[in-house]
Amino acid sequence: MTAVGPLFYARGFTTVGMDEVRAVAGVSLKRLYRLFPSKEDLIEQVLLAWREDWETNIVAQVKSAQVPRDRLLAVFDFLAAWFTTEGFRGCAFINSFGELSGTSGRIGAIVRAQKAEFQDYLARVAAEIGAPATLAPQLAILAEGAVTTAAISASPEPARQARAAAEILIDVALGTHPHPGHGSGAREDTSGPDLP
């Protein structure tokens, strides 16, 4: 069923009918329904395959970094490359959640599990460099925000911006970078921005 993944990613799950799936997969409709009694069953399998691909690619990118600190930043390097691929339209899991979670608790559960696993993975990588547990969720939010922003803006620039922010967070977490406004005699401005 890997052949149908790109079709669903490009157009979403609700707009693609089982006849199209059958044609792309090259199997009869009868066989398709024998393998997947419902469309939801098929969608679950596609999401699980995407999750495995995501994990494999992220882990490979992270392991390619030689310097421990750079392993966390490698996540954002992976995003930068992904954002420039043809047909990029954001996170398949976020898209699926927005499209289907209201009607399928099973789909919502798969997406939540994928997001939790990504954050857990970041926590393990962060722990290897002695960073506190608070760093992983911050980096996860940066990464997820970069993916969504890149999809909407059709620009790879959010990966660079998120990476720059991640560098600051990592350095602060490791104690190699002072908090803004602390330790330099500067007073922190708490007045907030001027809003119209």
Side-chain angles (χ1 to χ4, degrees):
M1 287 295 113
T2 54
V4 302
L7 180 64
F8 283 135
Y9 181 67
R11 293 179 38 207
F13 289 109
T14 55
T15 61
V16 177
M18 292 300 271
D19 280 329
E20 279 186 275
V21 171
R22 175 198 58 75
V24 170
V27 299
S28 69
L29 208 54
K30 184 177 179 181
R31 175 163 169 69
L32 186 61
Y33 277 111
R34 196 176 323 123
L35 293 168
F36 305 101
S38 72
K39 190 175 180 182
E40 186 176 24
D41 293 321
L42 173 61
I43 292 168
E44 286 181 31
Q45 289 307 307
V46 170
L47 286 172
L48 292 173
W50 283 345
R51 184 172 72 183
E52 188 175 327
D53 287 345
W54 166 263
E55 290 172 1
T56 299
N57 292 327
I58 281 284
V59 168
Q61 182 80 36
V62 169
K63 284 185 175 179
S64 71
Q66 301 301 311
V67 179
R69 177 183 174 277
D70 290 348
R71 291 187 190 125
L72 286 170
L73 296 173
V75 170
F76 299 92
D77 297 334
F78 170 80
L79 296 181
W82 179 33
F83 295 170
T84 60
T85 58
E86 187 177 346
F88 170 75
R89 60 178 302 270
C91 174
F93 298 96
I94 292 173
N95 296 347
S96 303
F97 189 83
E99 186 180 8
L100 300 169
S101 67
T103 58
S104 171
R106 286 156 47 190
I107 301 300
I110 290 172
V111 174
R112 288 186 188 95
Q114 189 273 331
K115 297 305 174 191
E117 287 164 7
F118 175 52
Q119 188 167 306
D120 289 346
Y121 177 66
L122 289 177
R124 291 194 301 272
V125 177
E128 289 172 3
I129 62 169
T134 53
L135 180 61
Q138 295 169 348
L139 295 179
I141 287 170
L142 271 180
E144 300 288 4
V147 175
T148 302
T149 305
I152 294 169
S153 66
S155 167
E157 186 64 13
R160 186 194 66 76
Q161 295 163 341
R163 190 186 196 280
E167 286 193 77
I168 295 170
L169 286 174
I170 292 166
D171 287 343
V172 168
L174 295 176
T176 57
H177 188 280
H179 286 278
H182 294 82
S184 61
R187 259 186 70 228
E188 191 173 351
D189 181 4
T190 57
S191 62
D194 292 328
L195 298 176

